Amino acid sequence: GFSANTGTTTLYRDEVQIASRPGAGSGLYEVPPGMATYRLHVESTRDRSLSSKVVADFTFKSDTTSEPLPQALPLMTLQFTPALDEFSRASRVLPTIVPVSVGHNTRAAAQPTRVEVSHDKGATWRQVPLVSLGGKWYTVIGHPRDAASVSLRASARDSAGNSVNQTVIDAFGLK
């Protein structure tokens, strides 16, 4: 369902901030012409117990285009799709298999490069194995006995060197 959220979207060109707007993932930005490396930082906090905070840093190269229509930027996101119950919870007793996929705005080839887990809302992180089987990516996460939720932090990169670093605090609960 709908949840109120607060956030910001900030755009950097060659690591110099050129714009910042309230709202997560919103805004139109006019940038100087020419090739540059951009970083789009998006942060959102919402009043829910799951996915209570999401932070993403998209790093990409972009150049001036002569196309009359706007061109898609090479942005990507990571999706985590573990099997959960109707309350978005996994068992804390058994390890959770988490399929990890990358969605790419331009459909370029991309893959996850790192996954980390936190059981204390992002205070500490631990890298977990990332395995490819049959062209799909997975990680397996074991849980401490007293953990209430799982937070995930992951990175992905495409064949052109564009990347995303994404954090989801309280990605799913534990029962």
Side-chain angles (χ1 to χ4, degrees):
F2 174 78
S3 172
N5 71 63
T6 59
T8 57
T9 303
T10 305
L11 183 64
Y12 299 84
R13 183 178 198 264
D14 294 327
E15 286 307 317
V16 175
Q17 182 178 319
I18 60 173
S20 187
R21 307 265 191 283
S26 63
L28 294 173
Y29 303 96
E30 189 171 323
V31 298
M35 173 62 84
T37 299
Y38 291 89
R39 182 168 58 93
L40 183 65
H41 176 82
V42 180
E43 194 163 322
S44 176
T45 303
R46 61 188 209 139
D47 61 351
R48 295 284 184 181
S49 59
L50 295 177
S51 298
S52 57
K53 183 174 186 178
V54 178
V55 178
D57 279 290
F58 306 91
T59 302
F60 59 96
K61 290 188 187 307
S62 186
D63 199 353
T64 306
T65 179
S66 60
E67 297 293 324
L69 297 175
Q71 301 298 301
L73 294 172
L75 305 180
M76 62 198 101
T77 60
L78 290 137
Q79 292 91 36
F80 310 102
T81 53
L84 303 173
D85 71 9
E86 68 273 18
F87 301 107
S88 298
R89 297 177 306 179
S91 171
R92 79 170 42 87
V93 179
L94 300 172
T96 304
I97 298 171
V98 181
V100 180
S101 60
V102 181
H104 201 296
N105 213 24
T106 66
R107 299 182 187 210
Q111 67 184 42
T113 56
R114 182 179 180 100
V115 177
E116 295 173 282
V117 65
S118 172
H119 290 96
D120 56 11
K121 299 184 180 291
T124 59
W125 294 94
R126 171 177 61 87
Q127 187 172 352
V128 290
L130 188 57
V131 178
S132 176
L133 296 170
K136 297 184 181 199
W137 291 90
Y138 302 88
T139 190
V140 178
I141 302 171
H143 311 291
R145 203 173 319 155
D146 60 343
S149 70
V150 175
S151 299
L152 296 167
R153 181 165 68 184
S155 303
R157 182 172 296 278
D158 70 13
S159 55
N162 303 301
S163 64
V164 63
N165 296 307
Q166 182 176 309
T167 302
V168 181
I169 303 298
D170 301 320
F172 58 92
L174 295 171
K175 60 181 176 180

